[in-house]
Amino acid sequence: MEARSSRELQARNYLEKHRIMDLLTYLTSALLFFRPALKTLGLCTADEVLKDDGHGVTFEKFRNEVNKRTQEIWSAF
């Protein structure tokens, strides 16, 4: 029983050290929020590949991207 507890503790420490849960939260947010929001706003096509700079998407980055794409769309008028 003690070996199991030790393995669970090692696994928990590994997850915390490498921020695996933060990564999973970010990926879930990206899948559930960012892409559908851009599609809803007409700022992203269904087949468009979104680029990732390797950093988390903050609200400010998201807002700036939406503003940039909106400006591009409206500049045609």
Side-chain angles (χ1 to χ4, degrees):
M1 189 68 166
E2 186 175 318
R4 181 178 175 182
S5 177
S6 175
R7 294 278 296 167
E8 289 175 0
L9 182 59
Q10 287 176 340
R12 183 177 297 122
N13 289 339
Y14 180 86
L15 292 174
E16 289 175 5
K17 178 180 177 182
H18 297 285
R19 299 177 53 200
I20 302 297
M21 297 311 293
D22 291 340
L23 174 63
L24 291 176
T25 300
Y26 168 75
L27 291 174
T28 301
S29 296
L31 289 173
L32 299 177
F33 176 70
F34 298 119
R35 189 172 184 90
L38 288 173
K39 286 181 188 176
T40 300
L41 294 170
L43 302 172
C44 177
T45 61
D47 59 347
E48 183 175 356
V49 176
L50 300 177
K51 298 175 191 82
D52 183 8
D53 63 2
H55 298 85
V57 177
T58 63
F59 176 73
E60 184 176 334
K61 284 183 181 180
F62 180 74
R63 184 186 64 215
N64 291 341
E65 185 66 21
V66 169
N67 289 339
K68 181 180 91 177
R69 290 175 181 236
T70 303
Q71 183 66 32
E72 290 172 2
I73 291 169
W74 283 100
S75 67
F77 297 101

